[in-house]
Amino acid sequence: MGWLPEEASGFRGIVKDLKRRAPKYVSDWTEGHNAKTTASIFFMFFTSIAPAITFAELLATTTEKIGVVEVCLSSCLSGMVFSVFAGQPLVIVGVTGPVTILTISIYGMAKALDISFLHFYAWAQIWAGLMHMAAAAAGLCDYIKYITNFSCHTFGMLIAVIYAVTGAVGIAKYYTRSQSFAACLMETILALGTTLLSLYLANASNWVVGNEKFRTFVSDYAPTVAIVIWTGISLVGRADDLGSDLTRLNVPRNFQTIGGRTWFLNLFDFPVWGIVLSLVPASIILILFIFDHNVSSIMAQSKEFQLKKGSAYHLDFFVLGICIVFTGILGIPPCNGLIPQAPLHTKSLCVVRKEKQHGVTVCAEIKQ
C-alpha cells in the first residue's frame, strides 16, 4: 500500500500518538490550574454556546427536526468524550457553520427522495464515523503536513464570514417578524452592544487604566462580562416593558427532542437503498472533517503557542469518528474542531510576557 504513509498505516500512527501522549496524560489534568484556566472556561462557554444557539435556530427553522437541545447535547457529549480520550484536548469541538449548511443540504436530499430525514442523516453519520476511524487507522491524517498557514487562514476567513453573515441575517430578520418596531430596535441594540462591548473589553490589555493584573482580568472575561451586562439590560427598564414582544430563545422545560421523538432511532426501519445512498453525504462529511477538524487542530497547536507535549492527529481523528457514530445513532448533528474557538482556547490559556524593544512594546514570549 505504497500510497499510504509507511509510518502511519495499519494503526501505526494511532499507536505512535498514544505512546507520545500517554506519559503526559496525568499532567494534562494536574498542571496549569490558575486564574486563566477559570477565565478560559467562561470564555469558551460563551463563545461556543452563542454560535451553537444561532445554528440551532437555523436548523430548527429549516428542518423542524433538530433544535437547541439536540445541538447542545451533541456539543456536550462530543466535547466530553474528546476532552477525555483525544490526544489534543485543547481543541474545542462543536457544531460548526459548514456542518449546519451540510445538514440543511442532507435534509433537502431526504425531502426530494421522500424518505425519513433523521434516518438518512443518522446513517450518513454512522458511515462517516466508520470512515473516520478507517482513515485514522490508514494514516491519512499524515498528509496534513501539506496544509500551509495560508490554507488555515483562508478557511478561518470562510468561517468568520459565515458567522458574520449569519449574524447580519439574524438582525435583518428582526424587522420581518410580526413585532413592534421598538422591539426590533431594542434587539438590534442588544446584538450590536454585546458585540462592541466584548471587542472593547477584549482590548483591555492595551489600556493605560489600572494595573496589569486588572487589565488582564478584564480582557480574559470580556465575552462573559459583555453577555451578562447586555442580558441584564434586556431585563430592566423600558426594555423589560416590551415583554413578550422582545424575542427570546425558546428552550424546552424538559430534556426532550424538538418533536418529542425518542432519542434512539430505529435505524433499520429504513429502506436498504436509502442506507446505501447515505454513503454519498457520509463521504462529504469525511472530506469536510479531514480538512476542517485538522485545520482547527493545527491552528490550536500553532508554533506561536510553544506547546511542548506533542500532537496526536491520528488518535484525535479516530476518537472523532467514534463521536460521530454516536451522534448519528441519536440523530443529532456531528461535531468537529471549531474555528476560531480552538486556537482562541489555546491563546486564552497562554501567559504573554511583553517587553520593550527599540522603544516599542512587543510580545517577547508566550508561556503555557
Side-chain angles (χ1 to χ4, degrees):
M1 301 181 70
W3 59 278
L4 293 175
E6 183 179 351
E7 69 277 10
S9 59
F11 286 94
R12 282 195 286 270
I14 297 176
V15 172
K16 285 188 175 183
D17 286 346
L18 285 170
K19 288 182 178 179
R20 183 187 307 113
R21 293 292 293 128
K24 313 285 178 56
Y25 185 79
V26 175
S27 65
D28 287 344
W29 296 89
T30 58
E31 293 180 355
H33 294 286
N34 51 45
K36 292 193 73 70
T37 307
T38 304
S40 181
I41 291 172
F42 285 99
F43 175 70
M44 293 317 304
F45 174 78
F46 285 108
T47 54
S48 297
I49 195 68
I53 290 173
T54 302
F55 295 142
E57 287 189 324
L58 179 60
L59 289 172
T61 303
T62 307
T63 68
E64 298 182 349
K65 300 291 185 182
I66 298 174
V68 175
V69 174
E70 287 84 352
V71 171
C72 289
L73 177 63
S74 177
S75 300
C76 178
L77 290 178
S78 300
M80 288 192 298
V81 172
F82 196 85
S83 64
V84 173
F85 297 103
Q88 179 47 275
L90 287 171
V91 178
I92 302 296
V93 297
V95 178
T96 65
V99 167
T100 302
I101 296 171
L102 180 59
T103 298
I104 294 173
S105 299
I106 294 174
Y107 173 78
M109 291 175 62
K111 189 175 182 180
L113 295 168
D114 194 24
I115 55 178
S116 169
F117 159 65
L118 287 177
H119 286 79
F120 190 57
Y121 194 42
W123 276 108
Q125 290 189 63
I126 292 172
W127 286 124
L130 296 175
M131 290 178 182
H132 277 65
M133 289 184 272
L140 295 186
C141 291
D142 196 57
Y143 289 107
I144 62 173
K145 63 186 178 183
Y146 296 111
I147 298 177
T148 64
N149 285 335
F150 176 78
S151 301
C152 293
H153 294 153
T154 301
F155 196 76
M157 182 63 184
L158 169 64
I159 303 301
V161 170
I162 291 176
Y163 280 133
V165 170
T166 303
V169 170
I171 293 175
K173 284 184 178 179
Y174 294 156
Y175 299 89
T176 62
R177 298 170 182 167
S178 56
Q179 60 189 103
S180 66
F181 187 67
C184 296
L185 286 177
M186 188 62 205
E187 289 172 342
T188 304
I189 292 171
L190 291 171
L192 296 178
T194 303
T195 303
L196 294 175
L197 180 59
S198 179
L199 292 172
Y200 176 72
L201 295 178
N203 195 43
S205 58
N206 296 323
W207 291 356
V208 295
V209 178
N211 57 32
E212 184 178 352
K213 287 185 177 180
F214 171 77
R215 295 195 296 268
T216 301
F217 177 85
V218 173
S219 179
D220 289 342
Y221 284 91
T224 305
V225 173
I227 291 174
V228 170
I229 288 177
W230 282 96
T231 300
I233 291 174
S234 73
L235 297 171
V236 298
R238 298 291 295 274
D240 188 49
D241 292 342
L242 294 171
S244 59
D245 208 18
L246 195 63
T247 306
R248 297 189 185 277
L249 180 64
N250 182 21
V251 179
R253 295 288 183 180
N254 301 320
F255 181 71
Q256 62 182 24
T257 57
I258 190 173
R261 66 171 177 88
T262 58
W263 281 108
F264 292 94
L265 299 171
N266 183 1
L267 295 173
F268 295 99
D269 185 19
F270 192 61
V272 176
W273 64 267
I275 297 175
V276 176
L277 188 62
S278 64
L279 283 165
V280 175
S283 301
I284 298 174
I285 294 174
L286 173 67
I287 295 170
L288 172 64
F289 282 16
I290 282 179
F291 190 80
D292 194 357
H293 179 78
N294 285 310
V295 164
S296 67
S297 185
I298 291 172
M299 295 178 73
Q301 301 173 80
S302 177
K303 291 182 179 179
E304 67 178 285
F305 298 135
Q306 301 181 21
L307 302 182
K308 301 178 177 64
K309 294 188 177 182
S311 60
Y313 292 103
H314 306 93
L315 173 61
D316 285 5
F317 210 64
F318 190 88
V319 173
L320 187 67
I322 295 174
C323 292
I324 294 172
V325 169
F326 279 105
T327 55
I329 293 173
L330 293 172
I332 57 181
C335 293
N336 69 298
L338 291 172
I339 301 173
Q341 287 90 332
L344 286 177
H345 180 227
T346 308
K347 187 175 182 179
S348 68
L349 292 168
C350 291
V351 177
V352 181
R353 181 174 63 84
K354 296 184 177 181
E355 65 179 29
K356 284 193 174 183
Q357 295 181 3
H358 307 292
V360 178
T361 300
V362 298
C363 296
E365 184 180 358
I366 295 181
K367 295 182 179 180
Q368 189 75 49

